[in-house]
Amino acid sequence: QVQLVESGGGLVQPGGSLRLSCAASGFTLDDYAIGWFRQAPGKEREGVSCISSSDDSTYYADSVKDRFIVSRDNAKNLVYLRMNSLKPEDTAVYYCAAYLGPHITTAQALDPTKMHYWGEGTTVIVSS
């Protein structure tokens, strides 16, 4: 059974950092592109970042570029999202999701409708 589990969310002050983790069971993470998405209250789910399976290409939304870093640890079957210089507008539930195709395109990487499996999410609150 395919399962994704996020962890690492919490309350952080503006300007602070958090590292989210995405753990997989039932499949090997490095075989698939893994995306990070977020959904703030009253807003649609949006793409934040993605790391491909083929060549570890990374993709970022403009709103998080130069602040967030996505990475893999294949030995641990984990994908991370390092979030720096956090802002109140980063407050949301963060989800990781898996794309079950051989290649992911730029157009697909941050599109939540293209993902096949989802975790339950972890909450990030940026507030003083």
Side-chain angles (χ1 to χ4, degrees), residues 21-120:
S21 299
C22 176
S25 60
F27 69 103
T28 302
L29 271 178
D30 62 353
D31 288 340
Y32 305 107
I34 301 297
W36 285 97
F37 299 81
R38 66 186 181 187
Q39 189 164 17
K43 295 189 176 181
E44 292 188 352
R45 193 168 298 189
E46 64 175 355
V48 174
S49 183
C50 184
I51 185 165
S52 72
S53 59
S54 55
D55 58 3
D56 280 355
S57 294
T58 55
Y59 308 86
Y60 296 96
D62 288 342
S63 59
V64 306
K65 204 170 291 184
D66 299 326
R67 297 191 298 125
F68 290 11
I69 301 171
V70 63
S71 63
R72 291 180 183 272
D73 186 332
N74 292 334
K76 296 181 179 179
N77 210 27
L78 292 169
V79 171
Y80 301 107
L81 184 68
R82 176 69 178 184
M83 305 187 296
N84 300 316
S85 303
L86 283 161
K87 306 174 181 180
E89 51 264 43
D90 294 318
T91 294
V93 178
Y94 283 73
Y95 302 87
C96 65
Y99 172 81
L100 304 184
H103 302 288
I104 194 165
T105 66
T106 301
Q108 294 168 325
L110 299 180
D111 185 349
T113 67
K114 304 303 182 190
M115 299 295 148
H116 298 99
Y117 290 103
W118 289 85
E120 295 293 318

